[in-house]
Amino acid sequence: MKQKVAALALVIVLLVVALMKISDVVHDRQNYRQIAIQSIAQSLAGSQTLTGPLIHRACTEEWDTTNASKEVRSERREFVLAAAPASLTLQGTSKLEPRARGLHATQAFNLKASLVAEWTDLEALKPVPEHTGSRMNCGQPLLMMAVSDARGIRHASVKIGEQLLALKPGTFYGNYPRGVHAPLSPALLQAVPLQAQLELELVGTESISVVPLGGDTRVQLSSNWPHPSFSGQFLPVDRKVTPEGFEASWRVSSLASTAQQDVTQRDAAKRRGTCPPYESSVNSSCVETLSVTFVDPSNTYALSDRATKYGLLFIGLTFLAVGMFEFMKSLRVHPIQYLLVGAAMSMFFLLLVSLSEHMPFEGAYAIASAACVVLMTYYASHMLGHWSRGLPFGLGIVTLYGMLFVLLRMEQTALLLGAVALFAVLAAVMMLTRRVDWYARFKQPESVKAAG
């Protein structure tokens, strides 16, 4: 008896090692997938964050100072003035399509957005001298729109009134260098309130973020993607998600956000100290955003990884079932037979990972589980001595795989379902063994040995 217990302990150790190796394979495949996604982003464009429109101008102030030896020396400071819009409206539609590297794919989006920004005054662009008698000099104001990855810009145009402005690459604005800008003439600056209309076509991968730069920011986004994840510091005030896609709208006031100050004052977030953990990093600056991430439900590696974590539990339950048959029917099952049953259970997880790379997860799960159920039912019928014992064993394995599939699909209630299932198994074992005389059972081998 002690030798068999030791042998079964060794079998369990070997199966644990096998499950760990399979888990390593899953993690390696996940890493390969992430590398493929990064490769696609490097070739196309990555996640996109929109900042603007914003008007800014570079200024210098020069003044004369006299030192102790009465020498006159000229000093100079450079600074940038920026004016955020009083209101900002964005309406955008994104269409997603898969882009693949080998077996691995991600979703690339094509965003067509229309932005309307309005400035009620431009007082923020008027320089204020810090030194008496200084000489002020400011460059031409620039209207800019920043994006986090300028390679994704397919088209951009801007109009002020009926005048179409010529856009140029870059923003010339501190921590937000990527994007487009247009020089503004003095005549346009005098037309207050000033309204700019910008049309933008932008491609990227994984997510879209918008900085709520206006005093009152309103954003409406729609897409053909039915699996959005809304994040950032502001959730939609209204959203609708259907199998055909989603629609969402946000409204953010500058009273509730520091984004306007952080962008116009450039280093305001850094001066406040380290970035709070909930804030996003946009071009090395801490700034609040509203975001949509296009979640890919076909990421089967995450599901496979979760399934593998249940591997030891499922092997343990299977061994419990074999042990119950062995104990209740006075059978003798060799530790090698336990090892083969456990190996078949472990092989299921490897089959699941490999098959899910070539077909939908549901189909891969069905094929892998069906193959293992047929194999173990056939083997158990001979191991336990008859089909009448092998078939109930196979039905139990079917129940285990069915329960695992439900646990994988119902992530929010997985703990509850798992706890209820384990309680049911424990109750079943207790009911089946409620009349067993355990002392007599364990003494029986000693009496047989003495008789021999």
Side-chain angles (χ1 to χ4, degrees):
M1 184 67 179
K2 293 181 180 179
Q3 292 179 346
K4 185 167 185 179
V5 171
L8 288 177
L10 177 61
V11 167
I12 292 175
V13 170
L14 292 175
L15 293 175
V16 168
V17 173
L19 287 174
M20 292 175 62
K21 293 298 183 181
I22 294 174
S23 181
D24 290 342
V25 170
V26 176
H27 291 157
D28 288 342
R29 305 302 288 182
Q30 283 182 309
N31 292 334
Y32 294 152
R33 179 181 184 272
Q34 192 60 38
I35 292 172
I37 292 175
Q38 292 175 355
S39 174
I40 294 172
Q42 291 172 357
S43 301
L44 182 65
S47 299
Q48 295 286 13
T49 299
L50 280 65
T51 307
L54 180 77
I55 299 176
H56 69 90
R57 65 191 307 193
C59 298
T60 60
E61 180 182 11
E62 296 181 352
W63 66 96
D64 297 330
T65 60
T66 304
N67 56 23
S69 58
K70 297 184 179 181
E71 293 180 351
V72 178
R73 186 175 61 182
S74 179
E75 295 190 14
R76 167 193 178 103
R77 75 178 180 97
E78 298 179 354
F79 58 97
V80 175
L81 301 174
S87 65
L88 174 62
T89 301
L90 184 151
Q91 292 183 328
T93 301
S94 60
K95 182 179 180 182
L96 277 85
E97 58 183 19
R99 298 292 179 93
R101 284 284 190 276
L103 295 173
H104 309 290
T106 188
Q107 299 298 324
F109 62 82
N110 185 306
L111 173 69
K112 294 183 178 180
S114 176
L115 299 96
V116 178
E118 183 171 341
W119 289 261
T120 55
D121 66 73
L122 297 173
E123 293 297 321
L125 296 179
K126 295 181 179 179
V128 177
E130 293 185 355
H131 303 273
T132 304
S134 62
R135 301 173 294 279
M136 305 292 299
N137 184 27
C138 292
Q140 187 174 14
L142 303 178
L143 173 69
M144 72 90 169
M145 180 73 194
V147 296
S148 53
D149 194 338
R151 295 175 304 157
I153 299 176
R154 292 293 178 265
H155 169 76
S157 64
V158 62
K159 289 197 306 182
I160 294 182
E162 297 300 323
Q163 183 175 351
L164 184 64
L165 304 182
L167 285 174
K168 299 179 181 179
T171 66
F172 299 99
Y173 189 71
N175 292 326
Y176 307 86
R178 302 178 184 90
V180 294
H181 76 276
L184 299 180
S185 64
L188 288 176
L189 294 178
Q190 295 174 0
V192 177
L194 180 69
Q195 186 181 82
Q197 298 178 341
L198 191 144
E199 300 293 329
L200 180 67
E201 182 176 351
L202 188 69
V203 299
T205 54
E206 294 191 325
S207 68
I208 300 172
S209 300
V210 178
V211 176
L213 195 58
D216 179 55
T217 302
R218 302 189 183 194
V219 176
Q220 291 183 334
L221 289 177
S222 61
S223 175
N224 64 338
W225 189 249
H227 308 288
S229 175
F230 302 106
S231 57
Q233 286 70 57
F234 304 97
L235 294 177
V237 296
D238 186 29
R239 62 180 179 179
K240 180 181 179 182
V241 181
T242 67
E244 288 73 36
F246 74 87
E247 297 177 357
S249 61
W250 292 259
R251 183 172 182 179
V252 180
S253 169
S254 60
L255 299 176
S257 171
T258 62
Q260 192 176 86
Q261 293 90 332
D262 292 341
V263 175
T264 57
Q265 297 177 20
R266 303 178 69 185
D267 295 328
K270 293 182 180 180
R271 289 197 297 269
R272 290 201 311 267
T274 57
C275 302
Y278 58 83
E279 289 192 352
S280 301
S281 176
V282 181
N283 292 336
S284 303
S285 293
C286 299
V287 63
E288 296 173 336
T289 62
L290 51 93
S291 305
V292 179
T293 300
F294 302 103
V295 178
D296 189 355
S298 64
N299 182 6
T300 58
Y301 297 115
L303 293 174
S304 298
D305 183 53
R306 287 182 58 205
T308 307
K309 293 178 180 178
Y310 291 101
L312 184 59
L313 174 62
F314 275 45
I315 291 175
L317 291 176
T318 304
F319 281 11
L320 177 62
V322 175
M324 288 296 297
F325 275 107
E326 183 179 4
F327 186 78
M328 300 298 293
K329 301 297 183 181
S330 299
L331 301 173
R332 297 184 67 185
V333 180
H334 197 275
I336 292 181
Q337 293 176 303
Y338 278 94
L339 176 62
L340 292 174
V341 170
M345 294 290 291
S346 302
M347 185 59 65
F348 161 77
F349 300 104
L350 191 58
L351 284 173
L352 178 62
V353 176
S354 58
L355 289 173
S356 62
E357 291 184 340
H358 302 276
M359 63 177 65
F361 182 81
E362 292 79 4
Y365 192 96
I367 293 175
S369 59
C372 291
V373 166
V374 171
L375 175 62
M376 284 189 287
T377 301
Y378 174 79
Y379 187 74
S381 299
H382 294 80
M383 179 179 64
L384 301 177
H386 199 273
W387 282 99
S388 61
R389 298 167 183 171
L391 287 177
F393 179 83
L395 291 176
I397 299 300
V398 170
T399 303
L400 282 178
Y401 284 129
M403 184 177 68
L404 176 60
F405 187 80
V406 173
L407 290 175
L408 295 177
R409 285 305 182 189
M410 302 180 68
E411 183 175 359
Q412 300 298 325
T413 56
L415 179 60
L416 174 62
L417 293 175
V420 171
L422 288 176
F423 180 81
V425 170
L426 176 61
V429 172
M430 294 175 69
M431 291 296 294
L432 290 172
T433 60
R434 66 188 183 277
R435 296 179 180 176
V436 173
D437 186 347
W438 294 98
Y439 283 106
R441 287 281 186 173
F442 280 102
K443 286 180 180 179
Q444 183 178 0
E446 297 296 333
S447 61
V448 172
K449 180 178 179 180

